[in-house]
Amino acid sequence: MTQLYTKVKLYLEANSKTYENERINIELQNDGSGDYIKSWNVSGLAKPTAEQIASYETAANTAESNATIIATRKTSYGVWQDQLDEIFTDIDAWKTRIAKVKTDNPQG
Amino acid sequence: MSYIGSKPANKPVVASDIDPTMITGQTALAVAPAATDEFLVSDAGTLKRIDYSLIGNSSYFKVAGSNVSASNDTSTELTVTSETVDSAGVVASNRFTPQVAGYYFITATVKYPSGTDIDFLGCEIFKNGSSTGAGTSIVSKDYNAISCSTIVELNGSSDYVSIFGRHTTGSTSNINLQNFFGFKLGN
């Protein structure tokens, strides 16, 4: 089961809006019985129905899996200061290492 | 002896008629008054009795919780799992529902129990499931905790307060209620 947040984000993007821009117009809440949309004040876009939210389950699953993979890659890449040092020392070795990180952690 | 057989005239009891031993001669109450113990007061010139519960700082409480799984950027009600004190048994199902109307001071601390960097952690005080506008957010790193406080008016019957946490780690993450306490403010 994916997060309601992810499905709402995808619903907004499918309607030419972004979560970042609309964040102040949306309240997601959980009172102990699951996530729900507490308030929705997005101009020009109706609050999604339960069916519309459910239709994003597969896409949300892919998005969340990719987010996990990106986080794993980020950790494996290391901090940029160390990478600059690697590039300075042996850029080809750095490219090989980065390519392996990507191969080992493929996105869906 | 001329007044024998006569009815005394009605005369109000005044301050000079009262001897301090009316009070000092009574048995001392060596503990805090019970909620229903009563006092006599002059309410704009009219004598009335009032329960101690209406003038004290009760109820008061201090509780804490454990980890709750919270979705990204979703205000999530935090759970209470232990009580240090709950003076009137008014904390239940993660909510403080005092049975005396008035203003209450509420404070809480929310913790993100991880060493991972976090961009946003929020501590929010909700009344009846909606934000009171009292809350704090923080951009922080490493081990994270944030506190929030407010004064809120509660009706003494159905109104309740609970603490919500919010984060933007990107994925579902644990957050917990490190402490949650409050008390009634005197009138």
Side-chain angles (χ1 to χ4, degrees):
Chain A
M1 186 70 177
T2 57
Q3 299 178 94
L4 175 62
Y5 154 79
T6 309
K7 288 179 274 198
V8 167
K9 183 172 185 286
L10 291 172
Y11 172 72
L12 289 166
E13 289 168 357
N15 289 279
S16 305
K17 296 184 181 292
T18 67
Y19 184 83
E20 288 68 29
N21 286 346
E22 301 298 340
R23 187 181 180 210
I24 59 169
N25 300 317
I26 300 167
E27 279 184 277
L28 303 180
Q29 191 163 315
N30 185 333
D31 301 329
S33 302
D35 298 349
Y36 67 98
I37 299 172
K38 170 83 171 178
S39 68
W40 182 275
N41 295 299
V42 177
S43 177
L45 182 61
K47 176 181 169 180
T49 63
E51 291 73 22
Q52 285 174 313
I53 287 293
S55 72
Y56 287 97
E57 181 65 28
T58 302
N61 193 43
T62 301
E64 290 186 5
S65 296
N66 285 343
T68 302
I69 289 162
I70 289 167
T72 302
R73 285 182 176 183
K74 187 179 172 184
T75 302
S76 299
Y77 291 155
V79 297
W80 62 265
Q81 293 93 332
D82 289 345
Q83 290 191 63
L84 282 177
D85 197 44
E86 280 184 82
I87 292 167
F88 176 78
T89 304
D90 187 344
I91 192 170
D92 291 330
W94 171 78
K95 286 170 71 175
T96 302
R97 187 180 72 80
I98 296 299
K100 186 173 187 313
V101 170
K102 288 179 180 290
T103 304
D104 289 347
N105 299 281
Q107 289 195 53
Chain B
M1 302 295 280
S2 61
Y3 54 80
I4 293 175
S6 301
K7 183 180 176 185
N10 285 334
K11 179 181 172 236
V13 175
V14 297
S16 60
D17 296 328
I18 299 175
D19 189 277
T21 58
M22 275 189 66
I23 296 174
T24 60
Q26 306 302 320
T27 302
L29 177 63
V31 296
T36 54
D37 283 355
E38 294 176 312
F39 296 80
L40 270 181
V41 298
S42 170
D43 179 20
T46 302
L47 277 182
K48 292 182 180 176
R49 60 192 171 87
I50 183 172
D51 277 2
Y52 174 67
S53 63
L54 296 172
I55 56 177
N57 289 107
S58 188
S59 51
Y60 51 88
F61 70 98
K62 181 182 179 188
V63 297
S66 56
N67 284 347
V68 169
S69 178
S71 299
N72 186 65
D73 210 7
T74 301
S75 295
T76 301
E77 187 171 22
L78 301 178
T79 57
V80 171
T81 54
S82 65
E83 293 183 348
T84 303
V85 62
D86 181 3
S87 68
V90 287
V91 178
S93 303
N94 315 314
R95 296 168 180 180
F96 170 56
T97 314
Q99 295 304 296
V100 176
Y103 286 91
Y104 287 81
F105 176 79
I106 304 291
T107 188
T109 301
V110 171
K111 185 172 74 173
Y112 174 62
S114 168
T116 307
D117 287 355
I118 184 171
D119 289 334
F120 174 92
L121 178 66
C123 172
E124 301 167 315
I125 298 171
F126 276 35
K127 174 183 173 181
N128 301 332
S130 295
S131 176
T132 59
T136 322
S137 61
I138 189 170
V139 176
S140 62
K141 301 291 183 185
D142 302 326
Y143 210 72
N144 309 285
I146 182 70
S147 297
C148 53
S149 303
T150 194
I151 291 173
V152 61
E153 185 176 17
L154 302 172
N155 66 7
S157 55
S158 58
D159 283 349
Y160 66 89
V161 169
S162 53
I163 305 302
F164 282 65
R166 192 154 60 97
H167 66 81
T168 56
T169 62
S171 57
T172 300
S173 299
N174 282 333
I175 48 178
N176 71 52
L177 188 58
Q178 197 164 27
N179 60 57
F180 170 26
F181 56 94
F183 54 85
K184 185 176 180 294
L185 296 170
N187 293 320

